[in-house]
Structure formats: structure tokens, C-alpha cells
Amino acid sequence: MTTITLHPDFRIGPIDRRLFGSFVEHLGRCVYTGVYEPDHPTADEHGFRRDVADLADELGVTLVRYPGGNFVSNYVWEDAVGPVEQRRPFLDLAWRTIEPNTIGTDEFLQYCEREGLEPMMAVNLGTRGVAEAVALLDYCNGEGGTHWSDLRIANGREEPYGVKLWCLGNEMDGPWQIGHKTAEEYGRLAAETGKAMKLVDPTIELVACGSSSMYMDTFGAWERTVLSHTFDVVDHISMHAYYEELNGDRASFLGSGTAMDRFVERVVASADSIAAERRSDKRITISFDEWNVWYLESRFVGEKNLPIQRDAPRIIEDHYSGLDAVVVGDLMITLLNHVDRISIGCLAQLVNVIAPIMTEPGGAAWKQTTFHPFATAARLATGETLNLQVDAETITTERHGDVPAVTAAASVDPATGALALFVTNRTAHEQIVTLRHPGAGVRIDGGTAVLADHDGARETQEEAEAYGMVDALPAEHGDGTVSLRLAPESWTAFHGTLTT
Ligand code: AHR
């Protein structure tokens, strides 16, 4: 028997809309034939696919991180601005792909402006350093009268872009990273780069690289060392996490959200230990700028040692199942339950590469299974997250130990009373949940759910499009309680109202 207790006075905090971000990296077909394909029948006058932009809009994406990812760690941004015909292709070592540089900073930032997306830029701290980061920031945000801001103006863009969010490199703890660094080396470089960038534009927010995953050997020590150098200059620390079903261990995969919870709690503890040492009230928040289901260990292996690629190769194009959709929904529950410390989230990535949207060159764009829980949460989770008490049985998993069988998050919009309740059933049987709501009236008007299916990944467009959300089982209202029924292995989003 599972009980969820919802009290209107117990709140975690406001939901930063930047939680519903995504990520566009120059990787495989994310950019070329993903967001950008000038010969496509739906291409706009700038060469960007309208069908993809419309799906991104329906997905509810608010922010996009760019240009990487591993790609950024050997990127020469100067080669991708100015007249396109004069741009020099380069060999991107992260993905061993020849990058034509057709799309660069201006094209991306203007795309964001047209589509109403907030850009989040990353600077290269792998092969480059302070000077190039400062130059890029000045190019983007400078008012004119300097070499770099005048170059932007000469390239046709008078108004500064005013980019607010900047990542100081990407996954610098990873030995795979071009220009990989120790925590000490990276911490010093990030602190100096951040200091200089804030001298160019004090209004920006900076993200220091945290660990690439909780399972890195350096996890914990990395955060401590990096923040001991950067605490005063940065605003956020990054987290990255990808989950997959390994060796048929379905229970652990379904419990991924609990692993993500623990990861967040540990990073928060690390950041706050630095604050405590300094007797500081500053709270570093989290930019969870890469998260998703990714069959990294099980499917990616064969793609690691490819010969040099060109023309937007099909790499890391995972196809998702209903089970993957349930896990993505559950990971969103974790993000929502930590809005007091997570300011930014990026589902990695937006198109084709481990993405909710797939495309065919010259052809269709369609939704993967994982599109549905993200779009539903982005639409329904408004206002503030409530601090629920969830009492559920536990499941013992191989990878994460005991995890709750049912997880939940709820949001309420203080202006309208609109209530959303997101609930995952990690078990293979139906669950009856009693929602107790002392101190408030609750009306559940309906719900929609994603279900795990047992058919494996939906490989083709037809298979993916045959998958959709289903109506939730009807809620029954009692005196001070609502009885909810959850389908086996499902993620459900209920909507209704909260009255106090
Ligand atoms: O999102 C794919 C890759 O995963 C990114 O380039 C990198 O940052 C991470 O390891």
C-alpha cells in the first residue's frame, strides 16, 4: 500500500523554467540534417528545419546548450564566424568527424532568438584557455569598440546577443576529453577564465564542470577541489548522468531516478562543505546539463574506433522503448524534487543523437517514446514543487540497493491553483496509491501515462509513432483522500487543482 501525503504549505521551491532545457552538439546528425538542413522541404530562409523547430516547441524546450559536449574541447569558434564560404573545415577529435563550420555561433544564437530559446554556451577549456573564452564572450556580448565585438558587427550583427549562461568547458574530469585535466589543473584554469569573463560581462552566470558521472573514480574529490578554486566566481556546478538497462537488469534501470537523487545529494553536500569551510551563505546550484537514457556501454562500443567521418554520420542514434520513456519520466521526478538546488537541466540531446526527436534527411521528423514524458512535464509542471511525503514499499536492486517502488513529485501554480502530480510505478503490478491532502482540497481532473512495453526499442519511424500516451486509470475522490491507480511499470502525470 502506497501513501502520498501532500500539504500545501510544504514546498521545495519555484521551478526554474531552465529546468526544461536541451542540448545541441556538433555530433553526428544533431546539427546537420537535424536542426539544420537547407535543402529540406520545410527549411526556413536560414536553412533550419521548420518541422524540427515545431517539434522542439511542442517538446517545451526552454534552453539549449551549445556547441558541446566533448566537441567543445577542441573547438576553434573563430573558424565558424564570418562569411560561410571563407570558413575552414576542421577535424573534430572528439568524434573524429570533419566539421564544415557551416553553422557557428551567429547561426546558433540567431536560431535561438527566432525560436524563443535561451542559449547556454560552452567555452573550450580543453585545448584553449582564458584569452579565447574572453574573446568569444566579447564577440557575443560586447557593445562594440573592441576587436571582437566589432567583428560581430562586421559579420552583420549589430546588437549584442546578451548570452547569460556559460559553461567553463565540458567534462574535464574525463580521460576521453581532449585536453583532459586533473581537478587541480582544471580548477585553476576555470577560476582564472571565470574571473576574466566576469570582468568582460559581470551579468553572466558561470557553470564549473563537475563530474561526468557519479561513477567516476575522482567523483567527490573532483567537486571539492574544483569548487575550492572556483567557489567565488562560479554560480553553478555541472552534473551529467546517463542511465541504461545493463544485462537485462530491469529493476536497477527502473530505479535510476533514485541513483540520480543520491548523485544530487552528494554534489550538494560537496558544494555546501566548501561554503561551510568559508563560512559563506552562498549556495552553488546545479546545472544538470546532460541527462538521459543512453545505451552507452551496451550499444556504443562499436562506434568508438570509427575511421574519420564526414557529412554528418549516423552515430549515437539510440532508439527508445516504452521502458525508456518511463525512466525518463522518473528522472524528471528527481529533477523536480530538487528544484531548490537544480537551476538548469538539459535533456541530452535534442535531435537524432540520443534524442526525443528523430529525422530523415530530406524526409520526416518524428517523436521518440521519450518525447512524451518530457513534453508532458514541461507543460504541466508550473509554479512551485511541493514537498511530498511518499510512503511506499522498497525494491532491492543490484546496482542501487533499496529503491522505492513508487516515486512522485507535485507542482502547484500559486496564481491559478493548477496542480500536477507525477508518479512512477516501478513494479510489474498495478499499484493503488492513496493521496492524502490535509489542509487543502484536491481535485484530480485526469491524467495521462507512458507505459513500459516489452517489445524492445522502437527502431523505425512507424514503430516510434505507434507509441503514445494513454489515459490514466480514473481517480476516485474520498474524504480528504484521492485513490489513484497506477498501471504496471508506468509514469503518470495527473492534473487537477489545489484549493486552500
Ligand atoms: O551527449 C553525448 C556526450 O556525452 C557529450 O559530448 C559528452 O559531454 C558526454 O560524455
Side-chain angles (χ1 to χ4, degrees):
M1 158 93 165
T2 302
T3 309
I4 299 175
T5 307
L6 175 162
H7 194 290
D9 292 346
F10 298 159
R11 304 193 177 200
I12 297 173
I15 301 167
D16 191 325
R17 298 313 297 171
R18 300 180 299 180
L19 198 64
F20 305 106
S22 186
F23 176 28
V24 167
E25 176 168 6
H26 285 257
L27 193 187
R29 299 194 306 119
C30 190
V31 173
Y32 304 107
T33 75
V35 286
Y36 176 80
E37 190 181 340
D39 297 333
H40 192 270
T42 72
D44 63 17
E45 57 182 310
H46 309 279
F48 286 83
R49 286 180 65 147
R50 191 68 251 154
D51 55 352
V52 172
D54 287 345
L55 281 174
D57 188 42
E58 192 183 332
L59 186 62
V61 164
T62 52
L63 160 154
V64 180
R65 180 167 176 253
Y66 176 88
N70 297 342
F71 174 84
V72 80
S73 295
N74 67 155
Y75 187 45
V76 182
W77 69 268
E78 301 90 316
D79 284 350
V81 296
V84 173
E85 57 289 353
Q86 288 168 25
R87 296 186 191 174
R88 301 179 299 183
F90 88 105
L91 175 59
D92 161 39
L93 302 174
W95 305 106
R96 300 195 77 226
T97 301
I98 296 174
E99 165 57 48
N101 278 327
T102 313
I103 294 296
T105 301
D106 288 294
E107 288 79 16
F108 170 73
L109 292 177
Q110 288 169 28
Y111 178 70
C112 285
E113 278 184 350
R114 290 194 302 273
E115 301 303 331
L117 298 163
E118 174 164 6
M120 179 185 196
M121 297 289 283
V123 299
N124 174 355
L125 291 190
T127 59
R128 312 187 87 196
V130 184
E132 296 88 350
V134 160
L136 176 58
L137 175 59
D138 191 23
Y139 183 88
C140 292
N141 289 5
E143 297 285 342
T146 62
H147 170 70
W148 295 109
S149 58
D150 283 346
L151 181 63
R152 182 197 70 236
I153 294 166
N155 287 339
R157 170 67 187 211
E158 184 76 35
E159 278 294 295
Y161 290 110
V163 180
K164 198 127 212 111
L165 274 172
W166 293 84
C167 302
L168 295 166
N170 175 71
E171 293 190 350
M172 298 310 303
D173 62 325
W176 59 86
Q177 205 66 217
I178 307 301
H180 165 227
K181 292 178 174 50
T182 63
E184 197 64 42
E185 289 165 346
Y186 169 70
R188 288 282 305 121
L189 179 59
E192 288 306 314
T193 306
K195 180 177 85 184
M197 288 176 78
K198 283 200 168 168
L199 288 169
V200 176
D201 182 349
T203 69
I204 59 172
E205 290 174 43
L206 291 172
V207 183
C209 290
S211 295
S212 309
S213 110
M214 187 170 73
Y215 304 104
M216 297 296 290
D217 290 343
T218 48
F219 173 60
W222 174 273
E223 279 71 9
R224 257 197 325 281
T225 306
V226 167
L227 285 175
S228 69
H229 289 294
T230 59
F231 185 85
D232 291 329
V233 80
V234 303
D235 304 278
H236 316 280
I237 182 128
S238 75
M239 292 180 62
H240 291 180
Y242 294 102
Y243 301 95
E244 67 189 295
E245 183 180 359
L246 281 168
N247 310 317
D249 182 0
R250 200 174 174 89
S252 295
F253 182 46
L254 277 160
S256 301
T258 301
M260 197 191 208
D261 268 321
R262 293 173 188 157
F263 188 14
V264 173
E265 282 153 17
R266 288 165 192 170
V267 172
V268 166
S270 268
D272 289 353
S273 75
I274 304 292
E277 256 170 43
R278 293 168 178 241
R279 297 155 189 84
S280 167
D281 293 329
K282 176 173 176 176
R283 287 294 170 266
I284 299 283
T285 61
I286 289 164
S287 170
F288 216 129
D289 45 48
E290 288 187 35
W291 69 270
N292 205 347
V293 169
W294 177 8
Y295 287 84
L296 178 61
E297 283 184 44
S298 38
R299 291 191 206 149
F300 183 57
V301 184
E303 294 173 341
K304 278 181 185 153
N305 295 312
L306 288 175
I308 288 172
Q309 306 280 301
R310 55 180 76 239
D311 300 331
R314 288 177 191 261
I315 50 176
I316 324 186
E317 299 200 357
D318 284 22
H319 297 275
Y320 292 117
S321 66
L323 178 62
D324 299 327
V326 171
V327 171
V328 163
D330 195 43
L331 296 172
M332 298 208 72
I333 286 180
T334 296
L335 295 177
L336 287 167
N337 279 331
H338 291 283
V339 290
D340 52 336
R341 296 307 291 262
I342 304 180
S343 324
I344 298 150
C346 300
L347 178 71
Q349 300 192 357
L350 184 63
V351 195
N352 291 326
V353 176
I354 40 172
I357 300 169
M358 296 299 290
T359 67
E360 263 310 306
W366 64 93
K367 301 169 188 172
Q368 293 232 59
T369 60
T370 52
F371 185 100
H372 304 288
F374 186 98
T376 305
R379 182 166 46 84
L380 292 179
T382 54
E384 298 180 28
T385 303
L386 294 169
N387 195 354
L388 301 176
Q389 168 79 37
V390 181
D391 295 301
E393 62 179 288
T394 55
I395 301 170
T396 302
T397 68
E398 216 168 283
R399 208 166 150 79
H400 319 302
D402 286 353
V403 303
V406 172
T407 61
S411 66
V412 65
D413 186 334
T416 62
L419 171 74
L421 175 67
F422 307 99
V423 196
T424 307
N425 175 6
R426 291 170 169 170
T427 69
H429 53 266
E430 189 179 299
Q431 291 268 351
I432 311 275
V433 174
T434 303
L435 175 67
R436 299 173 58 241
H437 48 87
V442 164
R443 167 105 226 136
I444 298 292
D445 297 323
T448 175
V450 284
L451 310 179
D453 52 28
H454 298 265
D455 302 328
R458 291 172 173 263
E459 299 286 338
T460 64
Q461 178 188 349
E462 291 68 33
E463 285 166 358
E465 285 181 335
Y467 184 88
M469 298 198 71
V470 297
D471 284 345
L473 301 166
E476 280 176 30
H477 294 80
D479 188 15
T481 62
V482 183
S483 176
L484 306 168
R485 281 166 62 203
L486 307 177
E489 294 183 339
S490 63
W491 176 86
T492 308
F494 295 99
H495 60 92
T497 42
L498 180 77
T499 44
T500 49

